[in-house]
Amino acid sequence: MRFTHCFANPFCSPSRAQLLTGRYPFQNGIKVVLHSKAQEEICLRPSQPSFARQLRQHGYATQLVGKWHVSLEHRYGPDVDLEVFLDFIRASATNPARS
């Protein structure tokens, strides 16, 4: 795979959402870093396209190691797209697809 054109966002949440969806922040809805309860309604919704979901649909195993950080309290969590999620923040491993 070769990436020839890129756009980088200097903020955590928008960058993660952009990598997962292939869409700019104004398109995927994550324009700011998610860090407070006042932002609970801001999240990467399952209706957005997902690179990880496309990989799963074609038989690839998908995992996330680190932090999700595209929704608070995992409102729409990684279980939508990922088979395994190792959360360093909560120091836990989950297999949402099989729980």
Side-chain angles (χ1 to χ4, degrees):
M1 186 178 305
R2 186 174 138 173
F3 294 100
T4 58
H5 299 333
C6 312
F7 170 81
N9 191 309
F11 301 108
C12 178
S13 301
S15 290
R16 289 170 190 274
Q18 194 169 337
L19 283 170
L20 282 168
T21 65
R23 293 181 168 182
Y24 292 108
F26 73 89
Q27 294 171 312
N28 67 35
I30 308 291
K31 300 179 220 171
V32 297
V33 175
L34 303 179
H35 58 79
S36 75
K37 291 281 187 187
Q39 298 171 307
E40 285 182 342
E41 294 303 315
I42 302 171
C43 57
L44 187 61
R45 301 191 184 279
S47 59
Q48 290 291 327
S50 166
F51 180 61
R53 191 176 316 128
Q54 290 176 4
L55 288 173
R56 272 187 81 180
Q57 289 171 349
H58 288 89
Y60 289 87
T62 56
Q63 295 185 358
L64 171 69
V65 177
K67 60 180 182 174
W68 180 237
H69 216 203
V70 291
S71 67
L72 295 174
E73 301 300 321
H74 303 283
R75 180 178 200 124
Y76 293 108
D79 57 321
V80 172
D81 299 326
L82 303 160
E83 291 180 74
V84 177
F85 173 43
L86 179 59
D87 186 349
F88 287 153
I89 303 299
R90 293 186 178 90
S92 63
T94 60
N95 187 333
R98 296 185 181 102
S99 350

